[in-house]
């Protein structure tokens, strides 16, 4: 997902600068936000708790405020028990939509010429079916 790729490097640089340490890309994990919470993308805070030396909720609040203040596409955040739900600005989505509109034939794969073989079974209808017919099917 383009949004995750855009955010990954920005979040990594910001957290490395703030906590004065180096982070592996695996420490920054994004998930789809659950429908019962507000947000477009969720940052899992648990891998970052040890580095921050705070509780998951405090770490989420701290990182959320950092992201909101320093990354222009983050509009708001919601920290819930070790998960940081991020709300992306509408401007980002509109720019992405405009980028898609400029690509001709977006979403259409080039046609492939290939042969497809379809097999079907035809057991004798005048005899009862048994397990052997099933195996052949």
């Amino acid at each position: 997902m383009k949004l995750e790729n855009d955010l990954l490097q920005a979040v990594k640089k910001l957290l490395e600068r703030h906590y004065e340490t180096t982070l592996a890309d695996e420490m920054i994990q994004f998930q789809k936000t659950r429908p019962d919470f507000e947000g477009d993308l969720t940052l899992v805070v648990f891998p970052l708790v040890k580095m921050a030396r705070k509780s998951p909720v405090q770490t989420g609040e701290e990182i959320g405020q950092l992201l909101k203040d320093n990354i222009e596409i983050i509009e708001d955040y919601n920290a819930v028990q070790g998960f940081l739900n991020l709300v992306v600005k509408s401007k980002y989505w509109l720019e992405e939509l405009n980028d898609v509109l400029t690509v001709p034939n977006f979403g259409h794969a080039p046609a492939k010429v290939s042969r497809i073989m379809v097999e079907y079974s035809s057991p004798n209808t005048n005899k009862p079916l048994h397990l052997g017919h099933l195996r052949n099917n």
Side-chain angles (χ1 to χ4, degrees):
M1 184 176 187
K2 186 176 183 314
L3 176 62
E4 288 180 24
N5 295 335
D6 291 346
L7 279 177
L8 178 68
Q9 295 306 319
V11 169
K12 182 179 176 185
K13 287 179 186 177
L14 184 65
L15 293 179
E16 285 177 345
R17 203 170 355 131
H18 182 73
Y19 292 115
E20 298 174 355
T21 186
T22 57
L23 293 171
D25 286 346
E26 296 82 34
M27 289 185 72
I28 301 171
Q29 302 171 8
F30 291 106
Q31 303 178 350
K32 185 179 176 188
T33 302
R34 289 179 33 192
D36 45 332
F37 293 106
E38 180 185 8
D40 299 306
L41 193 65
T42 299
L43 174 67
V44 180
V45 179
F46 293 113
L48 307 170
V49 169
K50 186 176 180 182
M51 176 185 62
R53 295 188 176 111
K54 296 180 181 173
S55 72
V57 175
Q58 290 173 329
T59 303
E61 287 289 335
E62 182 180 28
I63 293 172
Q65 193 60 46
L66 273 171
L67 298 180
K68 184 177 177 183
D69 294 341
N70 296 302
I71 298 179
E72 64 183 39
I73 64 171
I74 302 298
E75 182 177 329
D76 200 11
Y77 67 93
N78 182 12
V80 180
Q81 300 177 357
F83 296 96
L84 181 62
N85 302 321
L86 303 172
V87 179
V88 178
K89 289 185 178 178
S90 299
K91 178 183 173 186
Y92 176 84
W93 297 119
L94 291 173
E95 288 172 1
E96 288 298 310
L97 183 60
N98 285 332
D99 290 346
V100 167
L101 289 174
T102 60
V103 176
N105 295 327
F106 179 80
H108 294 277
K112 294 181 182 178
V113 177
S114 62
R115 290 185 175 191
I116 299 173
M117 183 176 81
V118 178
E119 280 191 52
Y120 60 95
S121 65
S122 57
N124 189 344
T125 57
N126 294 324
K127 294 183 179 178
L129 292 175
H130 55 80
L131 288 177
H133 290 106
L134 182 64
R135 187 190 72 182
N136 291 337
N137 289 340

